[in-house]
Amino acid sequence: MAAKRSGGQSKQSERKVPPPSGPEPRSEQPLSLERIVATAVELLDSEGIDGLKMRRLADCLGAGAMSLYWHVGNKEEVFDLALDSVLAYRGPVPIDASQDWRGEVVHMLKDWRAGMLRHPWSAALLPRRALGPNILARLELLSSTLSRAGVADADLNVAIWSLWNYVIGATTTRASFDLSDDDRAAAQQRLTSLSQHYPTIERSRLLLDNDWDGAFSKGLDFLLDGLVPKQ
Amino acid sequence: MAAKRSGGQSKQSERKVPPPSGPEPRSEQPLSLERIVATAVELLDSEGIDGLKMRRLADCLGAGAMSLYWHVGNKEEVFDLALDSVLAYRGPVPIDASQDWRGEVVHMLKDWRAGMLRHPWSAALLPRRALGPNILARLELLSSTLSRAGVADADLNVAIWSLWNYVIGATTTRASFDLSDDDRAAAQQRLTSLSQHYPTIERSRLLLDNDWDGAFSKGLDFLLDGLVPKQ
DNA sequence: GATTGACTCGTACAGTGTACGATGCGAGTT
DNA sequence: AACTCGCATCGTACACTGTACGAGTCAATC
């Protein structure tokens, strides 16, 4: 197991500031990896995953299309960087430190999910990408917390992957099933018209219940119950 | 909650067989939705998700590129059809019927995962697509089985989504992390070089353990333990 | 023979990512 | 001052994509 993508690391270095003349008249400051990634995130937020074109991104930056390729190896790398930039984690309020392991885990995973739903494109991107430093940091936090909570080293692997799977599955699903009301109405109609084939699905209101957050929390509790049985 | 995609349903109907003259000399039988989908699956299997181009698909079928568009609305629809065609489920051997609910659930979910891993592109496709009939059938089976197992209607929703999340997360992860040995070696090296930052990850051999199947089974057991506590 | 409708496909177009090479620029070095 | 050199930018060009459009084929029907 490990991550894909051949480490890119394109050129570029620090640059002399243009003689400090107050806030530039916008869009004339030099290109930089940070600016590129930040703008890519904005673009992804507003236009979605297919809305990110190299030319468009360059336009938003007030640059020529090919200028981006000095800072970035290819479009894929832009995706990688945008994804990891969105997954930074500052940790919980440090008050309840180290007492409540379960609270910490839940907090981090909820924050993870929330962050990805704030940038829905990230959910679709995650499975295909490398493990960036922010993701690894979260996994490390998860590992150490669970270890402190008493999960045996032999089970740690399974525990982490189970939680990972749960979060990934939940966010990708949620991100792609977030519909307009019209869509929802159409889907409801379609489903009831097929209700003789799927009676239990209908009874459970599987596709109609909108309480994604609650479902995520409850399911996470169940999973944690299984992983670390209450003594 | 519901499915995306505006129902397509492109033209096409049954066609008169060319006067039965034994097995055609290959690649001269007429186009059909079935042939298109089957060939698309083959192509996806061998070339991956980016390897499916309309022109290439048409070539493989011995047809002109634009002929496909008589049977199919657009490329997206090809993806939808290929995905659902891969997710049919025949059910378990009917011997142990209805006794062992947990065995049934595990069997279906393992089969689900196995099917998707046989066609790794399907994992990447699933989250973005509509719920086809084969997927809905699996969800219905899951619902009814869990219901029989004693899960309250109020919890059914959470239970189903939890299992869904787990399966989706596990398969997409597995499908995108399936690396060559070289890749794995490189990743191992990279990780150990960062081991001071991620000590617990290293200790748990998170990225190095290759027993995906075992991890999937164990995690699934934990989750089911949480969902339906052993009485 | 004429008409119709199912089906096929060649051509064309508006994009896409990016290879390549020309250009500008600021700092050393001589 | 003239020079080189590395960083950084960008215009042009190319190969390739999905697919709109319309002309073509062919069998069944009138």
Side-chain angles (χ1 to χ4, degrees):
Chain A
M1 303 184 184
K4 244 172 191 146
R5 302 229 47 65
S6 54
Q9 212 68 354
S10 285
K11 324 83 205 180
Q12 153 241 4
S13 66
E14 67 282 16
R15 252 243 289 225
K16 36 278 155 188
V17 281
S21 62
E24 287 287 318
R26 192 79 182 101
S27 98
E28 276 310 336
Q29 65 246 77
L31 236 34
S32 74
L33 241 206
E34 293 75 32
R35 284 217 319 135
I36 291 176
V37 174
T39 311
V41 170
E42 282 177 30
L43 216 57
L44 284 164
D45 284 347
S46 63
E47 315 264 344
I49 219 164
D50 292 330
L52 183 64
K53 326 275 168 85
M54 294 304 270
R55 280 177 241 255
R56 183 107 159 67
L57 178 54
D59 277 356
C60 291
L61 288 160
M66 292 312 292
S67 306
L68 302 180
Y69 287 88
W70 176 258
H71 305 267
V72 147
N74 50 32
K75 192 183 177 181
E76 291 269 287
E77 202 175 310
V78 178
F79 281 130
D80 287 345
L81 294 168
L83 176 62
D84 198 71
S85 88
V86 142
L87 289 178
Y89 182 55
R90 294 192 319 281
V93 286
I95 288 188
D96 55 4
S98 80
Q99 281 314 62
D100 176 21
W101 69 267
R102 191 153 165 157
E104 277 180 43
V105 168
V106 169
H107 181 276
M108 193 274 273
L109 295 179
K110 280 188 178 177
D111 172 272
W112 191 343
R113 171 172 173 274
M116 299 191 71
L117 292 185
R118 242 178 282 126
H119 309 279
W121 46 270
S122 65
L125 244 37
L126 208 172
R128 297 193 264 168
R129 306 282 140 193
L131 297 176
N134 281 325
I135 299 183
L136 282 175
R138 285 181 118 108
L139 289 178
E140 170 64 23
L141 179 60
L142 193 57
S143 305
S144 60
T145 308
L146 287 177
S147 192
R148 255 194 302 124
V151 175
D153 273 20
D155 287 338
L156 211 44
N157 212 319
V158 172
I160 297 169
W161 280 120
S162 298
L163 290 166
W164 162 283
N165 290 340
Y166 184 78
V167 173
I168 300 309
T171 49
T172 57
T173 301
R174 168 61 206 265
S176 63
F177 277 57
D178 198 11
L179 300 176
S180 71
D181 288 346
D182 286 355
D183 290 336
R184 199 185 333 279
Q188 174 166 7
Q189 185 145 23
R190 191 163 67 91
L191 190 61
T192 40
S193 83
L194 297 175
S195 62
Q196 73 272 23
H197 292 118
Y198 312 113
T200 321
I201 289 183
E202 246 227 323
R203 181 152 50 84
S204 74
R205 300 181 45 81
L206 183 64
L207 300 178
L208 304 178
D209 188 345
N210 239 341
D211 183 18
W212 293 94
D213 294 359
F216 179 82
S217 290
K218 281 191 211 160
L220 183 54
D221 274 339
F222 285 137
L223 180 53
L224 287 171
D225 286 345
L227 289 175
V228 186
K230 289 161 176 164
Q231 76 289 9
Chain B
M1 303 184 182
K4 246 170 189 145
R5 299 231 50 64
S6 55
Q9 211 69 354
S10 284
K11 327 75 207 182
Q12 152 240 6
S13 66
E14 67 282 16
R15 251 242 290 225
K16 37 278 154 188
V17 281
S21 61
E24 289 285 321
R26 192 78 181 104
S27 99
E28 275 309 337
Q29 65 244 81
L31 237 32
S32 74
L33 239 206
E34 292 74 33
R35 282 215 322 133
I36 291 176
V37 174
T39 311
V41 169
E42 282 177 31
L43 216 57
L44 284 164
D45 284 347
S46 63
E47 316 263 346
I49 220 165
D50 293 331
L52 183 64
K53 327 274 167 88
M54 295 305 270
R55 278 177 244 255
R56 185 107 159 66
L57 178 55
D59 277 357
C60 291
L61 287 160
M66 291 313 292
S67 306
L68 302 180
Y69 287 89
W70 175 260
H71 305 268
V72 147
N74 50 32
K75 191 182 177 181
E76 290 269 288
E77 202 175 310
V78 178
F79 280 130
D80 288 346
L81 294 168
L83 176 62
D84 198 70
S85 88
V86 142
L87 289 178
Y89 181 56
R90 295 191 319 281
V93 286
I95 288 189
D96 55 4
S98 78
Q99 282 312 65
D100 176 21
W101 69 267
R102 189 152 165 157
E104 278 180 42
V105 167
V106 169
H107 181 276
M108 193 275 273
L109 294 179
K110 279 188 178 175
D111 173 272
W112 191 342
R113 171 172 174 275
M116 299 192 70
L117 291 184
R118 243 178 281 126
H119 309 279
W121 46 271
S122 65
L125 244 37
L126 208 171
R128 297 192 265 166
R129 306 281 140 194
L131 297 176
N134 282 325
I135 299 183
L136 282 175
R138 285 180 119 107
L139 289 179
E140 170 64 23
L141 179 60
L142 193 56
S143 304
S144 59
T145 309
L146 287 177
S147 193
R148 255 194 303 125
V151 174
D153 274 19
D155 288 337
L156 209 46
N157 212 319
V158 172
I160 296 168
W161 280 121
S162 297
L163 290 166
W164 161 283
N165 290 340
Y166 185 78
V167 174
I168 300 310
T171 49
T172 58
T173 301
R174 169 61 205 266
S176 63
F177 277 56
D178 198 10
L179 299 175
S180 72
D181 287 346
D182 287 355
D183 290 336
R184 200 185 331 281
Q188 173 163 8
Q189 185 145 23
R190 190 163 68 90
L191 190 62
T192 41
S193 83
L194 297 174
S195 62
Q196 73 272 23
H197 292 116
Y198 311 113
T200 321
I201 290 184
E202 247 228 322
R203 182 152 49 84
S204 73
R205 299 182 44 81
L206 184 63
L207 301 177
L208 304 177
D209 188 345
N210 239 343
D211 182 17
W212 293 94
D213 295 359
F216 179 81
S217 291
K218 281 191 210 160
L220 183 54
D221 273 339
F222 284 137
L223 180 53
L224 287 171
D225 287 344
L227 290 175
V228 187
K230 289 161 176 164
Q231 75 287 11

